Amino acid sequence: MKILVIGGGGREHAIVQTLSKSKYHPEIFCAPGNAGIAQLATCVSIGAMDFDALKEFALEQQIDLTIVGMDDPLVGGIVDVFREAGLRIFGPDRRAAVLEGSKAFAKDLMMKYDIPCANSRTFSDPEEAMIFLKEVSFPVVLKADGLALGKGVLICNDMREAHDGIDQIMIRRAFGDAGKTMVIEEFLTGREVSVLTFVDGHSYRIMASAQDHKRAGDGDTGLNTGGMGTFSPSPFYTEEIDRICHETIYQRTVDAMRKEDRPFKGVLFFGLMLTEDGPKVLEFNARFGDPEAQVVLPRMRSDLIDAVNACIDGTLDQADVSFEDNAAVCVVLASEGYPVSYEKGKRIDGLEHFTGEDNRYCFHAGTISAAGQVVTNGGRVLGVTAVAKTLEEARKEAYEAAELIEFEGKYLRHDIGKSIEGVESL
Ligand code: AMP
Ligand code: GLY
């Protein structure tokens, strides 16, 4: 079996790592991949948005299954292009990926089908958005409609910040065309949880809950990043909350997409806020989270390929989708200065301590091989994950493992998973 994975970050490394343990022993290709992925797969230097070249490669190599890790190609319709060419591919098609690609679409869907979320209004005229600000209470949340590398959300504490925000998103177009339309929504408070699910168009299966740490600094200070670390499961995602989500969120969303003639097949990521009024949806993603995948996938007991095939074939209700009763923590090692400006090309030492055979992993996010040496090539460089019986143990081991890696300007948060201390795990 030949599998092609599309993407080249920590999430794709986690996907490739999981595939490499499959009972089907697939031959794995990854486009474009990275220095870590290259140890497990053949990396092909084709960009994730070059659909024609990817399709040609898949046809030529007779790829049996393609798995898309990233949001941009999904929202851009890579699944449609592959399917038209008769290629088997995992992920939502363009019509379904709009659930992530347009926040205005997602909000309309949630309103129409009574899926709990923050109250909001959508605007395509900045003047109207400015006038609406007179009616809101602060803080208020501004969201660029389209994909913006996870950066298109602004939390504004007063009228001046909100005016600036509208100006930035809609007029100056800081996030490009993603800001043609904008959502203004109520600020919710509570604890955030990410829940990843497999969906086959009709039914869904939960993978595991996780929590990301988006701010750059300890104690949730500093700028927003792509994610500085994760843990799974979230002890705050209790059985009671799980029950409510099954009743009011998950199946309703899957059914809503089918009723809209946009059946969703792939990984559906629910970004939830656990508010005093119950869990509410903050966002949907149409793919594995990054770095959520780096803690969820290493906990998977059943075969990832079976789950993927069941989603494509619509047989998820009969599939074995199971996870170990354990815990994982991932600590991201970043380049000093991230997310603003940072240097690249720093030699990375200590990678040999990670073989993928024990319960610790070093997933590459921004690395490249140069003259036989792995060097830094991005803001987020590596994700060090440890899997253990409990969250506390996983946390301790992840931080110990993070010490084994050295590069100039290595930067990490010290409090990933600290909030779980003293909380009874599920
Ligand atoms: P999103 O891309 O929609 O998940 O937004 C990114 C981050 O902004 C989320 O992970 C939250 O931390 C925050 N956020 C988004 N929407 C809201 C909201 N309505 N209230 C409070 N925080 C929010
Ligand atoms: N960690 C959030 C995301 O993948 O979008």
Side-chain angles (χ1 to χ4, degrees):
M1 181 190 282
K2 286 184 173 180
I3 301 191
L4 171 64
V5 175
I6 295 179
R11 164 184 45 210
E12 288 76 24
H13 193 177
I15 293 172
V16 167
Q17 167 75 45
T18 309
L19 292 173
S20 75
K21 292 189 173 167
S22 163
K23 61 178 182 262
Y24 300 105
H25 304 292
E27 182 181 1
I28 310 170
F29 297 84
C30 189
N34 63 34
I37 292 173
Q39 290 170 0
L40 301 166
T42 305
C43 292
V44 190
S45 81
I46 306 175
M49 294 307 285
D50 193 349
F51 297 174
D52 281 339
L54 290 168
K55 180 184 78 180
E56 287 311 317
F57 175 81
L59 287 169
E60 218 169 84
Q61 288 289 330
Q62 299 183 325
I63 297 289
D64 298 294
L65 172 66
T66 298
I67 298 178
V68 188
M70 300 165 70
D71 44 13
D72 289 290
L74 290 169
V75 171
I78 191 171
V79 169
D80 308 64
V81 171
F82 269 54
R83 272 200 208 137
E84 272 161 31
L87 291 161
R88 193 172 172 81
I89 183 164
F90 174 66
D93 62 13
R94 196 175 54 80
R95 282 177 55 77
V98 72
L99 192 54
E100 172 166 5
S102 167
K103 293 197 191 282
F105 172 85
K107 295 299 301 199
D108 285 349
L109 189 89
M110 289 192 277
M111 298 290 184
K112 184 168 170 188
Y113 292 92
D114 201 19
I115 297 161
C117 62
N119 290 321
S120 71
R121 287 269 303 269
T122 298
F123 297 91
S124 47
D125 176 358
E127 287 302 314
E128 284 177 24
M130 298 276 188
I131 293 167
F132 176 68
L133 288 182
K134 295 196 182 102
E135 295 174 32
V136 307
S137 45
F138 292 94
V140 75
V141 185
L142 309 186
K143 298 185 172 186
D145 178 52
L147 293 182
L149 299 169
K151 292 184 182 136
V153 175
L154 303 178
I155 294 168
C156 303
N157 291 306
D158 54 37
M159 187 62 91
R160 194 185 52 78
E161 282 183 20
H163 267 272
D164 280 356
I166 294 173
D167 183 52
Q168 202 182 330
I169 292 176
M170 297 193 86
I171 300 172
R172 283 186 282 134
R173 294 282 169 91
F175 311 108
D177 280 351
K180 264 192 198 158
T181 301
M182 192 185 70
V183 171
I184 300 188
E185 76 177 24
E186 168 199 15
F187 178 78
L188 299 177
T189 51
R191 197 165 262 287
E192 278 188 65
V193 180
S194 307
V195 178
L196 275 65
T197 64
F198 287 111
V199 181
D200 72 354
H202 290 264
S203 51
Y204 67 92
R205 300 287 286 276
I206 283 207
M207 289 183 231
S209 61
Q211 189 183 316
D212 194 359
H213 296 66
K214 288 221 163 87
R215 300 295 200 94
D218 286 358
D220 285 332
T221 55
L223 294 172
N224 255 327
T225 70
M228 292 298 295
T230 38
F231 59 82
S232 172
S234 166
F236 306 101
Y237 186 79
T238 60
E239 272 172 31
E240 171 68 0
I241 287 170
D242 183 58
R243 187 185 58 73
I244 298 171
C245 292
H246 281 286
E247 272 171 21
T248 65
I249 296 177
Y250 306 143
Q251 191 68 53
R252 258 185 224 180
T253 305
V254 175
D255 291 346
M257 289 299 281
R258 205 179 53 252
K259 286 181 191 150
E260 294 294 311
D261 199 20
R262 297 171 185 272
F264 190 103
K265 289 183 172 206
V267 172
L268 181 48
F269 167 129
F270 294 86
L272 305 175
M273 184 76 95
L274 308 182
T275 75
E276 278 189 354
D277 302 327
K280 296 188 178 183
V281 177
L282 286 180
E283 64 161 343
F284 296 113
N285 292 320
R287 39 139 186 111
F288 285 103
D290 191 349
E292 281 86 346
Q294 288 92 307
V295 283
V296 169
L297 286 173
R299 299 183 54 215
M300 195 166 187
R301 181 193 303 137
S302 57
D303 204 295
L304 175 58
I305 296 177
D306 286 335
V308 162
N309 279 327
C311 289
I312 297 174
D313 297 333
T315 54
L316 201 50
D317 53 347
Q318 297 146 42
D320 174 18
V321 177
S322 54
F323 284 75
E324 302 289 352
D325 183 16
N326 58 10
V329 171
C330 172
V331 177
V332 169
L333 308 185
S335 306
E336 197 170 1
Y338 172 74
V340 183
S341 65
Y342 46 83
E343 291 179 18
K344 294 182 184 178
K346 305 295 181 194
R347 195 182 78 202
I348 305 173
D349 290 314
L351 291 170
E352 69 281 2
H353 295 294
F354 297 85
T355 60
E357 294 307 318
D358 42 22
N359 278 324
R360 93 184 161 207
Y361 305 88
C362 185
F363 297 118
H364 292 227
T367 66
I368 195 167
S369 285
Q373 174 66 49
V374 179
V375 301
T376 67
N377 192 42
R380 288 190 299 170
V381 178
L382 301 162
V384 175
T385 294
V387 182
K389 272 214 182 75
T390 66
L391 281 168
E392 276 82 0
E393 279 173 50
R395 178 164 191 266
K396 186 167 156 285
E397 288 174 24
Y399 274 103
E400 278 169 12
E403 290 291 309
L404 300 172
I405 301 279
E406 281 310 328
F407 57 88
E408 196 188 317
K410 170 179 143 188
Y411 171 76
L412 70 160
R413 268 183 70 160
H414 302 90
D415 60 347
I416 302 301
K418 195 163 170 36
S419 61
I420 57 180
E421 276 174 2
V423 179
E424 191 82 4
S425 185
L426 264 186

